[in-house]
Amino acid sequence: MTDNHQYETPAAGTLDWDEPLNRNFERIDTDVEIRDVDANRSNYVAKAGAKFLATDTGDVYIGDGGSWSQLGTIGADGTGDTTTVEGAGVESLLLDGFVVAIGRSLAAPQTIDPAGTDTPIQDALDLVAANGGGEVRLPAGVVEETGPIRPYAETQILGLGVEISKVAITDRTADGILFDRDAGVDRVKLDGFALNGPAGTQPTGVAIRHANRDTQDLQVGRLLFWGWNNAVYRVDEGVGPFQCRHDQLTIYECDAGDQDGLFEFRSWYGPANWFGTIAAYPSATVSGQNTTVFFSRGGTQTVDYLTMGGSAGVAVHQTWDSMLEFGNVHWEPTTNPTSPPAIVRLLGHGTAVVDTVKHVTGTAGYVYELGYDSYNGRGPARKVLGPYIELGAAADVTSNVVNLSAAGDPSAPSLYHGAPEDVSVTHSDGNTGCLRALGTAGTGF
């Protein structure tokens, strides 16, 4: 029933029907089941057995008819796209398809209905950033965003899991998540969702791109990338993300055959960037070419596990003065248009350490190539090459394990944890001693 008497705002946690109020309200006296006003969302705010009071300003109270606690706030007409909820209602709204913003200065979580905007995630980020930073929670299902999504400092985008929460970028030319703010961006977290590109047969933007200033203390948990016909992680020249950690990144059906790699560090600086596991299964359906998986020109990158299939060509391509450290490189391509010259190409003077290369399927000319880098005009130096492990008849190397294609600096020699006969010298500058095979405790080439 509706009571049109005037009453005061209820005290927190209690409300007596005989107490004067300053607002109209609607009282629900029977056991009820409250649903979202949009039947397509089937949102259960509360189950049977609750009694509710809703004021004309949108305040909602739950109780037993004598004692009341504020549940939250909805739009004054009960049908707004933005809703405030508290407690367990957040999980209910996430499961029902709403984006939820939780800010330090927000009195309660706010929701944004993806059906009412082309930029629900950016809208939520804007709201959180204007209220002291905080979290944007992604719902179950697919949220469409025109893109790009531009994080602020001290913000987080958190999903329910990569197969549960999915972000679909609809603008073919837009990047997915773009770090480009003039002040730089510090302390951002991304976790638990899939970031899907537009797919199709045309080039797309980049899934995650550092395009301006420097990103510091980025923390990435589990993300999945699908449908990008470009790089999935790019650092532009002149930009240096640092102290960034990425736990587990998985890539399906992305074609970077026209680019430097799925992961591109084009800049010449940016220390202490770490990746736990990268699992890449690119395709060649758009470019018709192999995809280089990890390309680095500069900065410092550590990758514990790099595993790949699909049309993965060169696994690691180092140039200039980048500093790389890889644990296990697991190479298992299944759909390569052509065979790459080497699985791991280490060019130039930057330090590189590769613990092992495990080879399961596919054909390459060599496992390792140490070569000349035309970008800085220097030969190879300071590389440490771990053992090569071939696991079956489907794995083939047509030439040898190591190709020393350019003379290096003997004062900064490279080391190979294998036998001298595994090394081919294909340059014409003679024996300079720049690479030592440790299978005979330091034989020089």
Side-chain angles (χ1 to χ4, degrees):
M1 61 175 286
T2 300
D3 188 334
N4 290 321
H5 291 86
Q6 298 298 310
Y7 298 97
E8 292 179 344
T9 303
T14 64
L15 181 121
D16 192 304
W17 289 108
D18 296 324
E19 179 184 353
L21 296 172
N22 290 330
R23 299 186 185 128
N24 296 333
F25 63 85
E26 181 175 357
R27 174 182 176 182
I28 302 171
D29 253 340
T30 58
D31 290 348
V32 292
E33 194 168 67
I34 302 299
R35 295 175 182 262
D36 194 284
V37 293
D38 184 348
N40 292 328
R41 292 194 293 255
S42 299
N43 180 39
Y44 286 78
V45 178
K47 298 299 183 182
K51 292 183 175 65
F52 288 79
L53 175 146
T55 69
D56 61 352
T57 58
D59 296 330
V60 179
Y61 296 85
I62 185 171
D64 58 9
S67 178
W68 299 87
S69 297
Q70 186 169 0
L71 174 65
T73 304
I74 61 174
D77 61 357
T79 60
D81 287 334
T82 301
T83 308
T84 302
V85 295
E86 294 180 349
V90 171
E91 285 73 21
S92 175
L93 290 169
L94 289 173
L95 293 175
D96 206 45
F98 289 94
V99 176
V100 178
I102 304 172
R104 181 176 65 179
S105 299
L106 290 172
Q110 303 278 323
T111 68
I112 294 176
D113 186 350
T117 172
D118 292 333
T119 56
I121 299 171
Q122 189 63 56
D123 293 350
L125 281 171
D126 294 345
L127 178 61
V128 165
N131 285 276
E135 297 179 3
V136 172
R137 301 282 300 275
L138 301 179
V142 178
V143 175
E144 291 189 347
E145 181 97 10
T146 56
I149 298 166
R150 301 174 63 236
Y152 299 86
E154 300 288 1
T155 59
Q156 304 182 32
I157 304 175
L158 306 177
L160 299 171
V162 297
E163 293 296 337
I164 302 173
S165 299
K166 300 181 180 183
V167 178
I169 302 299
T170 58
D171 184 343
R172 178 166 298 281
T173 63
D175 296 323
I177 296 175
L178 178 62
F179 295 95
D180 69 339
R181 298 194 179 277
D182 289 339
V185 179
D186 298 343
R187 294 172 294 279
V188 170
K189 183 176 181 179
L190 311 171
D191 190 20
F193 61 94
L195 183 58
N196 295 341
T201 60
Q202 300 298 318
T204 68
V206 177
I208 295 179
R209 182 181 175 195
H210 301 264
N212 183 40
R213 308 296 291 179
D214 297 339
T215 308
Q216 179 180 357
D217 293 346
L218 169 66
Q219 181 180 349
V220 179
R222 294 189 176 208
L223 293 188
L224 185 147
F225 305 100
W226 177 90
W228 296 95
N229 299 325
N230 206 322
V232 298
Y233 193 103
R234 175 176 293 157
V235 177
D236 286 352
E237 189 168 340
V239 180
F242 59 103
Q243 297 167 205
C244 299
R245 294 180 62 84
H246 315 74
D247 289 335
Q248 184 165 333
L249 305 180
T250 305
I251 302 99
Y252 292 116
E253 296 299 322
C254 295
D255 188 343
D258 292 327
Q259 309 301 319
D260 290 329
L262 279 174
F263 292 79
E264 294 178 337
F265 284 80
R266 296 180 172 182
S267 189
W268 52 85
Y269 71 103
N273 295 304
W274 175 86
F275 296 81
T277 297
I278 296 174
Y281 306 94
S283 71
T285 55
V286 176
S287 70
Q289 303 178 47
N290 298 339
T291 285
T292 294
V293 177
F294 200 100
F295 170 87
S296 178
R297 179 179 292 148
T300 303
Q301 298 97 46
T302 297
V303 181
D304 284 354
Y305 297 95
L306 176 61
T307 181
M308 66 218 84
S311 60
V314 174
V316 181
H317 186 179
Q318 178 198 33
T319 69
W320 208 51
D321 286 335
S322 73
M323 299 179 65
L324 297 181
E325 183 173 355
F326 280 77
N328 178 257
V329 175
H330 183 108
W331 200 64
E332 193 174 352
T334 56
T335 57
N336 269 349
T338 57
S339 299
I343 298 173
V344 177
R345 302 188 72 201
L346 306 175
L347 313 181
H349 211 253
T351 299
V353 177
V354 180
D355 288 348
T356 59
V357 174
K358 188 181 295 183
H359 185 182
V360 181
T361 62
T363 300
Y366 293 88
V367 178
Y368 294 107
E369 178 189 355
L370 274 62
Y372 178 81
D373 179 20
S374 59
Y375 190 83
N376 67 356
R378 304 185 76 174
R382 303 178 294 181
K383 321 292 187 186
V384 179
L385 314 180
Y388 166 59
I389 304 167
E390 185 177 314
L391 290 183
D396 189 25
V397 174
T398 59
S399 297
N400 208 343
V401 177
V402 180
N403 176 21
L404 184 57
S405 63
D409 183 353
S411 66
S414 297
L415 306 175
Y416 167 55
H417 289 267
E421 55 266 27
D422 292 345
V423 180
S424 296
V425 178
T426 60
H427 66 80
S428 58
D429 293 330
N431 187 340
T432 65
C434 69
L435 172 64
R436 297 187 176 272
L438 299 182
T440 54
T443 300
F445 289 86

